[in-house]
């Protein structure tokens, strides 16, 4: 049987017989492809291992597994000492599909745009949605691209076209070299989605929130399409969308937040996605587990960075350093939380890193059993092909591996990958130099051992009692070896002679040929007498030229997982406390005014008591002597904590929501807490007349996206007027309407007329009405359920919007920026709007030439509710000082000036019953300052949100020392890894992206334009 095995290793794989639909060019091969693999350790599935067992296959299928009888027509292969595993399954591939042709840039923030799809035919209006694409129609087996996957052990892939937001269906195929109709196991196996528009050249969407809105609208459109009136015609994209909903739904994401975002979309429409993760989900694994979503995980761990130069190292973010160390724990984190997951080769820069990275994951805590499940049974279950592949069972496709040992052991060699009963050599090293010291065993009547030193593919020496004349050649795969024997006498013991070569003719040749299986070679040949022999050669040491002395040693991670995953994150989320602040000067913002030497008790997140001599058992006491306690600052106009700000492709984008793309990791949350900010309205930008829906947040540092949201607050939306809307800065012509201020008002009139007609149809109960997310938001404005914050500068535009609002019966809640507000303050007051302005910005672009620093004071004197806002992450850290400028410019009383960043924005945002002042029953959003709050010397010592201390200056000092020590440890570890031979890339300083009104990002998160004005 050994001879049969060795002979088989030298023969090409036998094709499994089947009913052939292709003509035969030559002589047909009628062999049935029946094999029996005996004496193997067979891993049937991750839970079942059989010893000294037999696997029988025929015609590309498994006949039996265990100790059954061997068919008479089977070729028997002795697998003593070998292991047999199911071939692996990659559930996220694009194998066999043509490369997507990506055209040039699709969106210019200013200048010409593409508004309509350029896809011909009755398809979706947006070319990033192409549910009608079926990978099976595009699929073609490609042996050269299949080979690297086969060499990793994969036998089956789920392949799809990785392009667009809705990508169509994927095909399950084997990695066989057979024709396609034998390769495809399942034609439509899953439907695919992402947040990336891919090769679409259409302008919309340009942001993450736009991609979310587009997906939500398409779900609604598909539901409507099922019962559409006949006059609406045919839409093949929506037809396909509906048809594929019964398939597994797979959603590609780039990071942990995108995974949670995708799951929320699925929850809204009753879909449980299988999420293709981005690799950092361990940072929010509890939230991931709560979604109940299965995952597909890549092993694309980040390379070390070259941080030898301290000037480079200092700009690499702590989060990047820590993620480099922690990334391998990602699969183990999923296993610990019992989240089903499959593993994929997707995203790997080099497929050869798959096994080293998987072994890193195992060292980091992933069990071998779960790893095997993630590569076999789990993806088979995800794709509903568990009756075909993923296990070794009778009737299953004959996809299996033969290895020298435990599949996950570093020294194990993967010898063969059988796919649909066809044998593929795996470890052949084509065009690779062979160097090293080998033990050569030749088996005939007995076993004779030699030493073999290979110096190159054409030079080697066999040694017995001395060097033997040797001829050697190899192409890296096939090996040919011959050597001459010399008469030799070997003495054993005392006086006894063992004539090992004594009777052999000098110069007799031993001829061997075989295959290179990496560290193990084997084959057949003839001895000096011409009798058949078998042989093996095992690597025992490498020559100096071949030795990999630089192989890096990977060690387990030590960096903590903190919330958020940022240098200033916390190992555990801060908790609400009962806190008693004693003897402070309290700025109440209420009728009581400023109270000296006063105590404030905080309990269960609320202000419980205000007075003197208060006490509370078990409370944390903070000495406020000589310090100043105020309500937390509220920023009415902010752009922090979001992945994108503008959806600028259309004039009206009221369907997009800032709340769909919050970024809880933004360091500006922490920085602004250090400046006393406790709440911020995160606004859409000013790229279009009617922008997106706002999101009011509380600065709960460490909370996830949902945890940041200010629950129960009224919803707002951003409008804009002026130069940004009409694209004043366009250098190549603006193709998007409007192009003038006149056009802006027509956009507003048209939008609200459409909304009024839409609302009328809704109230009439029109069952054929297509639900429109854009118009839904506008109807909320008409019904006074959503409120407007409008970017504005010039008096004529302010008056124009007021006239449109009054025409349609709604009110502009807040005019923000409003730098010519002092000119029309009386009309704004008559309309009933709030105003939110800069303290002293002017002359930074044409439409603010008439801005003056007395604006806020004048509007205050005329009785308007005046707020001072930031519109800038840096300014928000000193809004107390911005408010103080109104004292200088206009002699606004100090308490009234401070209200412009506390109580007044609370009123403008309709949350003054919850926050903005220190009053019993209100939320405990408080700041304890070192000096009077309007002073340039005032520092926030403690910042509380809902009674939780989110910023503590003393803790911050300690944290800075800890961060420095941890950075140094990580940098030293990275330097050692690079020195040890780990792959490395140039240091990548982390750019701090600070978004403003005019900033724009593509839907896949790439910043496309820098801010130039506000």
């Amino acid at each position: 049987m050994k001879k049969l095995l060795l002979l088989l290793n030298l023969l090409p794989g036998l094709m499994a017989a089947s009913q052939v639909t292709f003509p035969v060019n030559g002589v047909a091969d009628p062999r049935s492809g029946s094999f029996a693999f005996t004496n193997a350790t067979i891993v049937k599935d991750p839970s079942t291992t059989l010893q000294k067992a037999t696997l029988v296959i025929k015609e590309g299928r498994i006949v039996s597994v265990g100790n059954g009888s061997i068919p008479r027509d089977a070729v028997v292969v002795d697998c003593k000492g070998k292991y047999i595993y199911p071939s692996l399954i990659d559930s996220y591939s694009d194998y066999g599909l043509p490369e997507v042709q990506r055209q040039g840039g699709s969106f210019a923030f200013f200048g010409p745009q593409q508004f309509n799809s350029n896809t011909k035919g009755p398809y979706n209006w947006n070319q990033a949605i192409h549910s009608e694409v079926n990978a099976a129609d595009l699929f073609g087996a490609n042996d050269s691209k299949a080979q690297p996957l086969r060499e990793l052990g994969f036998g089956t892939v789920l392949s799809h076209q990785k392009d667009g937001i809705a990508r169509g269906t994927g095909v399950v195929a084997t990695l066989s070299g057979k024709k396609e109709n034998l390769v495809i196991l399942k034609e439509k196996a899953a439907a695919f989605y992402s947040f990336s528009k891919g090769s679409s050249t259409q302008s919309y969407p340009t942001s993450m929130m736009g991609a979310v809105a587009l997906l939500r609208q398409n779900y609604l459109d598909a539901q409507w399409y099922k019962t559409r009136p006949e006059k609406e015609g045919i839409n093949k994209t929506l037809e396909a969308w509906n048809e594929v909903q019964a398939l597994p739904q797979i959603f590609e994401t780039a990071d942990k937040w995108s995974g949670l975002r995708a799951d929320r979309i699925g929850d809204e429409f009753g879909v449980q996605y299988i999420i293709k993760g981005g690799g950092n989900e361990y940072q929010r694994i509890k939230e991931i587990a709560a979604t109940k979503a299965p995952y597909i995980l890549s092993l694309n761990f980040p390379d070390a960075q070259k941080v030898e130069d301290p000037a480079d190292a200092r700009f690499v973010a702590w989060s990047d350093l820590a993620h480099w160390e922690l990334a391998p724990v990602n699969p183990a984190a999923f296993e610990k939380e019992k989240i089903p997951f499959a593993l994929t080769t997707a995203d790997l820069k080099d497929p050869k890193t798959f096994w080293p990275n998987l072994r890193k994951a195992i060292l980091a805590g992933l069990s071998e059993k779960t790893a095997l499940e993630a590569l076999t049974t789990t993806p088979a279950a995800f794709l509903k092909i568990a009756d075909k592949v993923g296990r070794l069972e009778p009737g299953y496709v004959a996809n299996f591996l033969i290895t020298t040992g435990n599949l996950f052991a570093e020294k194990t060699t993967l010898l063969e990958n059988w796919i649909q009963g066809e044998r593929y050599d795996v470890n052949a090293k084509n065009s690779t130099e062979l160097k090293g010291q080998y033990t050569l065993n030749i088996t005939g009547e007995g076993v004779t051992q030699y030493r073999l030193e290979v110096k190159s593919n054409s030079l080697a020496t066999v040694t017995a009692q001395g060097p033997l004349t040797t001829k050697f050649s190899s192409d890296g795969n096939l090996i040919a070896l011959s050597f001459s024997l010399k008469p030799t006498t070997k003495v054993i013991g005392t006086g006894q002679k063992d004539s090992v070569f004594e009777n052999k003719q000098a110069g007799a040749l031993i001829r061997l040929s075989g295959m290179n299986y990496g560290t193990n070679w084997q084959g057949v040949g003839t001895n000096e007498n011409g009798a058949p022999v078998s042989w093996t050669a095992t690597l025992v040491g490498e020559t100096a030229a071949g030795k990999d002395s630089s192989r890096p040693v990977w060690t387990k991670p030590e960096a903590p997982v903190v919330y958020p995953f940022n240098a200033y994150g916390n190992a555990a989320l801060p908790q609400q406390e009962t806190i008693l602040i004693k003897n402070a000067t309290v700025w109440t913002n209420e009728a009581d005014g400023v109270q000296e030497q006063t105590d404030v008790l905080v309990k269960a997140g609320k202000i419980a008591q205000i007075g003197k001599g208060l006490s509370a058992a078990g409370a944390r006491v903070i000495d406020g002597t000589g310090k100043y306690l105020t309500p937390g600052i509220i920023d009415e106009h902010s752009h922090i904590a979001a992945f994108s700000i503008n959806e600028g492709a259309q004039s009206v984008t009221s369907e997009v929501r800032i709340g769909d793309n919050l970024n809880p990791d933004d360091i500006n949350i922490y920085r602004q807490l250090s400046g006393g900010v406790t709440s911020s309205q995160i606004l859409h930008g000013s790229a279009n007349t009617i922008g997106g829906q706002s999101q009011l947040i509380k600065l709960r540092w460490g909370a996830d996206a949902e945890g940041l949201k200010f629950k129960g607050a009224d919803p707002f939306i951003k409008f804009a007027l002026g130069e940004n809307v009409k694209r004043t800065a366009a250098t190549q012509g603006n193709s998007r309407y409007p192009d003038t201020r006149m056009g802006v008002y027509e956009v507003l009139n048209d939008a609200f007329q459409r909304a009024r007609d839409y609302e009328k149809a809704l109230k009439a109960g029109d069952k054929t009405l297509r639900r429109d997310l854009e118009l839904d938001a506008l109807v909320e404005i008409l019904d006074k359920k959503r409120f407007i914050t409008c970017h504005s500068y010039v008096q004529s535009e302010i008056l124009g919007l007021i006239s449109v609002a009054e025409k349609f019966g709604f009110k502009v809640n807040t005019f923000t920026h409003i730098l010519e507000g002092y000119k029309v303050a009386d009309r704004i007051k008559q309309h009933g709007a709030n105003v939110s302005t800069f303290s002293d910005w002017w002359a930074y672009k044409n439409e603010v030439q008439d801005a003056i620093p007395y604006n806020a004071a004048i509007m205050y004197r005329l009785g308007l509710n005046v707020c001072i806002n930031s519109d800038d992450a840096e300014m928000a850290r000193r809004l107390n000082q911005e408010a103080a400028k109104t004292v200088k410019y206009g002699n606004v009383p100090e308490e009234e000036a401070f209200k412009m960043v506390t109580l007044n924005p609370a009123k403008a945002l309709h949350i003054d019953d919850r926050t903005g002042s220190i009053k019993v029953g209100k939320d405990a959003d408080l700041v304890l300052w070192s000096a009077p709050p309007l002073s340039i010397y005032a520092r926030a010592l403690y910042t509380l949100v809902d009674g939780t201390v989110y910023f503590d200056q003393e803790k911050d000092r300690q944290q800075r020392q800890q961060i420095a020590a941890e950075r140094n440890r990580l940098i030293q570890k990275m330097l050692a890894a690079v020195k040890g031979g780990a792959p490395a890339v140039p240091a990548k300083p982390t750019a701090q992206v600070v978004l403003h009104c005019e900033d724009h990002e593509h839907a896949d998160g790439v910043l496309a334009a820098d801010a130039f004005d506000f």
Side-chain angles (χ1 to χ4, degrees):
M1 287 187 181
K2 288 183 178 178
K3 293 179 180 178
L4 286 171
L5 171 61
L6 297 169
L7 179 61
L8 179 62
N9 287 335
L10 299 176
L11 295 175
L14 298 177
M15 293 289 291
S18 60
Q19 297 187 56
V20 180
T21 60
F22 293 85
V24 176
N25 181 22
V27 179
D29 182 353
R31 289 175 290 182
S32 64
S34 179
F35 297 91
F37 302 86
T38 63
N39 298 316
T41 299
I42 298 180
V43 181
K44 287 181 61 177
D45 57 58
S47 301
T48 310
T49 300
L50 307 177
Q51 303 294 334
K52 297 181 180 180
T54 298
L55 171 69
V56 178
I57 69 169
K58 185 173 183 178
E59 297 183 359
R61 296 277 175 175
I62 296 173
V63 176
S64 64
V65 186
N67 295 309
S69 60
I70 299 174
R72 294 180 61 183
D73 65 341
V75 176
V76 178
V77 182
D78 188 352
C79 289
K80 184 178 180 180
K82 305 294 191 298
Y83 282 61
I84 297 179
Y85 287 85
S87 292
L88 311 181
I89 303 169
D90 192 333
S91 52
Y92 205 82
S93 175
D94 58 2
Y95 162 75
L97 297 177
E99 186 175 349
V100 175
Q101 298 301 312
R102 301 180 187 275
Q103 301 179 17
S106 63
F107 178 75
F109 190 61
F110 295 102
Q113 298 175 248
Q114 179 189 326
F115 298 107
N116 301 314
S117 171
N118 57 18
T119 303
K120 296 180 180 179
Y123 298 105
N124 195 274
W125 76 273
N126 192 285
Q127 66 191 53
I129 304 292
H130 30 80
S131 307
E132 70 281 358
V133 171
N134 295 313
D137 298 335
L138 307 173
F139 182 82
N142 187 323
D143 201 55
S144 64
K145 292 187 177 180
Q147 182 179 339
L149 293 170
R150 289 197 298 255
E151 290 178 351
L152 295 176
F154 289 90
T156 307
V157 295
L158 170 62
S159 196
H160 78 286
Q161 185 170 267
K162 297 179 180 178
D163 180 44
I165 290 174
R167 299 173 165 186
T169 63
V171 58
V172 174
T174 70
L175 294 171
S176 170
K178 299 176 182 179
K179 296 298 183 181
E180 283 84 339
N181 65 335
L182 297 177
V183 172
I184 292 177
L185 298 183
K186 195 169 187 179
E187 187 177 0
K188 293 183 179 180
F192 289 84
Y193 309 86
S194 81
F195 289 122
S196 173
K197 63 195 284 187
S199 63
S200 171
T201 55
Q202 196 169 345
S203 301
Y204 186 91
T206 66
S207 64
M208 174 65 75
M209 56 186 167
V212 172
L214 183 59
L215 276 168
R216 295 178 66 235
Q217 186 63 65
N218 269 275
Y219 274 108
L220 294 171
D221 287 351
Q223 293 171 2
W224 162 82
Y225 187 75
K226 292 177 183 178
T227 58
R228 74 195 187 287
E230 288 299 322
K231 65 181 179 181
E232 299 295 343
I234 299 298
N235 185 316
K236 290 189 176 295
T237 304
L238 293 179
E239 281 185 3
W241 180 293
N242 287 327
E243 289 170 1
V244 303
Q245 292 307 303
L247 300 177
Q249 307 286 296
I250 300 179
F251 204 117
E252 180 184 46
T253 63
D255 71 339
K256 57 186 185 282
W257 301 124
S258 288
L260 294 169
R261 184 179 300 117
D263 188 76
R264 287 195 294 272
I265 297 172
D267 290 346
E268 181 178 356
F269 295 98
V271 177
Q272 181 58 75
Y273 294 121
I274 300 168
I275 307 291
K276 157 61 173 61
N280 63 0
E281 288 75 19
Y282 66 91
Q283 297 169 12
R284 287 286 173 170
I285 199 64
K286 294 294 184 183
E287 288 94 329
I288 297 290
T291 68
K292 306 298 183 185
Y295 266 71
I296 298 171
L297 302 179
S298 172
L299 297 173
N300 180 31
F301 305 148
D303 290 332
Q305 298 187 43
K306 296 176 182 177
V307 289
E308 300 91 343
D309 188 338
D312 292 335
R314 67 189 292 257
F315 291 111
V316 178
W318 176 92
S319 56
D320 288 344
L321 295 170
H323 179 54
W324 167 76
E325 183 180 50
L326 285 167
V329 310
N330 203 44
F334 276 78
E335 180 181 9
K336 183 178 179 181
E337 293 297 326
K338 298 181 172 57
I339 304 170
F341 69 92
L343 293 172
T344 176
T345 61
D347 306 328
L348 293 176
K349 294 181 285 292
D350 181 356
K352 293 179 181 178
T353 61
F354 177 80
W355 280 104
N357 284 358
L358 179 53
R359 292 182 181 113
K360 283 183 184 179
I362 290 171
L363 286 172
L366 175 66
S367 71
E368 291 183 3
K369 178 177 181 291
T370 300
L372 185 58
E373 289 174 346
L375 290 165
T376 55
T377 55
T378 300
F382 283 178
L383 306 179
K384 300 180 182 178
I385 53 172
D387 59 339
K388 294 180 175 67
V389 290
R391 303 172 187 268
L392 300 178
E393 297 284 357
Y396 279 49
V397 177
N399 285 10
F400 59 93
L401 310 174
I402 300 177
T403 72
T404 60
N406 180 336
L407 183 61
F408 301 100
E410 188 167 1
K411 294 183 178 180
T412 291
T413 300
L414 178 54
L415 301 175
E416 300 171 8
N417 191 348
W418 288 70
I419 299 174
Q420 290 183 237
E422 182 180 5
R423 174 179 172 273
Y424 294 90
D425 293 319
V426 170
N427 231 348
K429 296 184 178 179
N430 294 310
S431 302
T432 301
E433 276 297 296
L434 305 179
K435 294 183 177 73
Q437 302 280 351
Y438 293 79
T439 298
L440 174 63
N441 290 314
I442 299 178
T443 304
E445 296 179 357
V447 180
T448 308
Q449 188 174 95
Y450 302 89
R451 187 169 71 251
L452 171 64
E453 181 180 4
V454 179
K455 298 178 180 178
S456 72
N457 283 21
S458 59
L459 181 61
T461 302
V462 174
T463 303
Q465 298 301 314
L468 303 177
T469 303
T470 306
K471 290 184 178 181
F472 178 82
S473 66
S474 174
D475 63 359
N477 182 4
L478 297 174
I479 293 169
L481 171 66
S482 65
F483 57 94
S484 300
L485 291 174
K486 297 177 181 179
T488 306
T489 301
K490 185 177 181 181
V491 179
I492 299 178
T494 56
Q496 288 186 330
K497 294 183 178 180
D498 183 4
S499 303
V500 177
F501 305 115
E502 196 167 31
N503 298 320
K504 297 174 182 176
Q505 296 179 351
L509 283 177
I510 292 179
R511 297 181 178 88
L512 308 174
S513 62
M515 292 285 292
N516 168 20
Y517 288 106
T519 58
N520 293 278
W521 305 347
Q522 54 185 291
V524 296
T526 59
N527 65 12
E528 70 280 6
N529 298 318
V533 295
S534 61
W535 66 275
T536 62
T538 304
L539 181 69
V540 293
E542 295 175 303
T543 61
K547 186 176 181 181
D548 183 14
S549 60
S550 65
R551 182 180 174 276
V553 177
W554 187 80
T555 58
K556 288 186 177 181
E558 302 174 40
V561 176
V562 293
Y563 307 95
F565 197 73
N566 182 291
Y568 289 89
N570 299 292
L573 293 177
Q575 300 297 310
Q576 276 186 353
E577 300 177 77
T578 298
I579 298 174
L580 180 58
I581 301 170
K582 297 281 292 181
N583 204 35
T585 299
V586 180
W587 287 44
T588 67
N589 280 355
E590 294 286 339
D592 293 335
V594 176
Q595 300 291 304
E596 303 286 346
Q597 297 179 332
T598 299
D599 305 341
V600 174
L601 177 64
V602 171
K603 194 171 185 179
K606 300 289 185 181
I607 298 169
Q609 284 183 271
I610 304 169
K612 298 182 185 295
L614 301 181
S615 62
R620 173 185 177 183
V621 177
I622 296 175
D623 185 5
T625 303
K627 302 175 180 65
Y628 298 78
L629 186 68
T630 71
I633 289 173
I634 300 169
D635 191 352
E636 189 276 338
H637 186 144
S638 177
H639 298 298
I640 67 166
F643 286 104
S644 59
I645 289 299
N646 270 298
E647 179 49 63
Q650 299 173 170
S651 296
V652 179
T653 57
S654 48
E655 73 279 4
V656 307
R657 308 182 296 194
I658 290 290
D660 287 331
N661 76 157
L662 290 177
N663 176 17
D665 288 338
D666 188 354
I667 186 61
N668 287 302
I669 298 173
Y670 183 75
R671 289 173 178 168
Q672 292 183 16
L673 283 164
S674 75
V677 181
T678 56
S679 295
S680 297
Q681 180 178 212
I682 314 305
L683 290 172
H684 186 277
S686 56
N688 30 16
T689 307
I690 300 179
Q693 301 170 33
S694 314
Q695 181 59 59
L696 184 62
I697 66 171
K698 285 202 174 188
L699 274 58
R700 302 181 180 108
W701 181 237
D704 62 13
E706 291 302 301
L708 287 176
K709 294 178 180 179
F710 196 127
K711 300 296 190 294
D714 283 344
F716 277 70
I717 189 169
K718 173 75 173 290
F719 281 27
L721 306 170
E723 295 180 2
N724 297 344
V725 172
K726 67 185 186 67
R727 306 294 170 102
T728 298
T731 58
Q732 297 178 351
N734 174 34
S735 58
R736 193 198 76 181
Y737 188 87
D739 206 27
T740 65
R741 285 181 166 86
M742 294 182 293
V744 171
Y745 302 117
E746 289 312 306
V747 167
L748 289 166
N749 276 298
D750 175 72
F752 281 104
Q753 186 58 57
R754 287 188 291 115
R756 182 176 282 174
D757 295 342
Y758 175 75
E759 183 179 32
K760 183 178 179 181
L762 282 173
K763 291 180 177 178
D766 184 351
K767 298 186 182 301
T768 67
L769 185 66
R770 168 186 170 272
R771 185 177 165 200
D772 189 318
L773 293 176
E774 174 189 303
L775 296 179
D776 281 349
L778 299 183
V779 168
E780 289 176 344
I781 295 171
L782 292 173
D783 292 345
K784 300 178 178 58
K785 295 178 180 178
R786 183 171 296 279
F787 302 92
I788 298 168
T789 293
C790 185
H791 165 114
S792 55
Y793 290 105
V794 179
Q795 62 173 335
S796 58
E797 296 180 318
I798 297 164
L799 297 175
L801 177 57
I802 288 174
S803 67
V804 172
E806 292 176 350
K807 171 184 175 181
F808 286 95
F810 64 87
K811 184 173 71 174
V812 179
N813 187 88
T814 306
F815 283 99
T816 190
H817 299 319
I818 196 71
L819 293 184
E820 290 190 17
Y822 67 93
K823 297 181 180 180
V824 288
D826 54 345
R827 183 69 177 92
I828 296 171
K829 182 178 180 181
Q830 181 186 24
H831 181 67
N834 303 278
V835 290
S836 186
T837 189
F838 297 127
S839 59
D840 59 354
W841 282 23
W842 65 85
Y844 51 87
K845 62 177 177 177
N846 185 62
E847 64 184 338
V848 294
Q849 293 300 320
D850 284 357
I852 59 174
Y854 306 97
N855 185 44
I858 292 172
M859 292 190 292
Y860 161 74
R861 300 285 181 199
L862 289 171
L864 292 176
N865 183 49
V866 179
C867 314
I868 302 292
N869 61 251
S870 75
D871 191 16
D872 177 75
E874 285 299 305
M875 183 184 288
R877 299 167 65 182
R878 54 181 188 275
L879 273 176
N880 60 318
Q881 296 176 29
E882 295 300 306
K885 291 177 182 178
T886 64
V887 179
K888 173 181 175 64
Y889 298 113
N891 293 317
V892 174
E894 289 189 7
E895 289 182 60
E896 295 300 317
F898 192 64
K899 287 178 184 178
M900 292 181 181
V901 293
T902 52
L903 184 59
N904 292 3
K907 291 177 179 178
L909 294 166
H910 308 175
I911 54 171
D912 53 308
D913 61 330
R914 296 269 302 275
T915 188
S917 66
I918 299 178
K919 181 179 180 181
V920 172
K922 282 196 173 186
D923 295 350
D925 298 347
L926 303 168
V927 186
L928 187 64
W929 302 88
S930 62
L934 296 179
S935 168
I936 60 171
Y937 301 107
R939 290 174 285 111
L941 304 177
Y942 297 91
T943 303
L944 285 68
V945 180
D946 296 322
T948 301
V949 177
Y950 282 100
F951 177 79
D952 177 335
Q953 189 179 77
E954 182 55 39
K955 179 184 174 184
D956 179 80
R957 288 197 188 98
Q958 297 170 7
Q959 235 174 340
R960 289 171 188 268
Q961 296 176 354
Q962 295 166 3
I963 291 166
E966 180 64 3
R967 280 184 60 85
N968 182 62
R969 182 190 70 78
L970 287 165
I971 288 171
Q972 294 304 316
K973 184 173 182 177
M974 192 172 279
L975 287 170
V978 174
K979 186 177 180 181
V985 297
K988 293 183 288 188
T990 301
Q992 177 64 49
V993 178
V994 179
L995 299 177
H996 301 93
C997 277
E998 285 75 25
D999 285 332
H1000 155 260
E1001 286 188 79
H1002 284 303
D1004 52 7
V1006 179
L1007 192 66
D1010 294 325
F1012 67 94
D1013 64 4
F1014 300 89

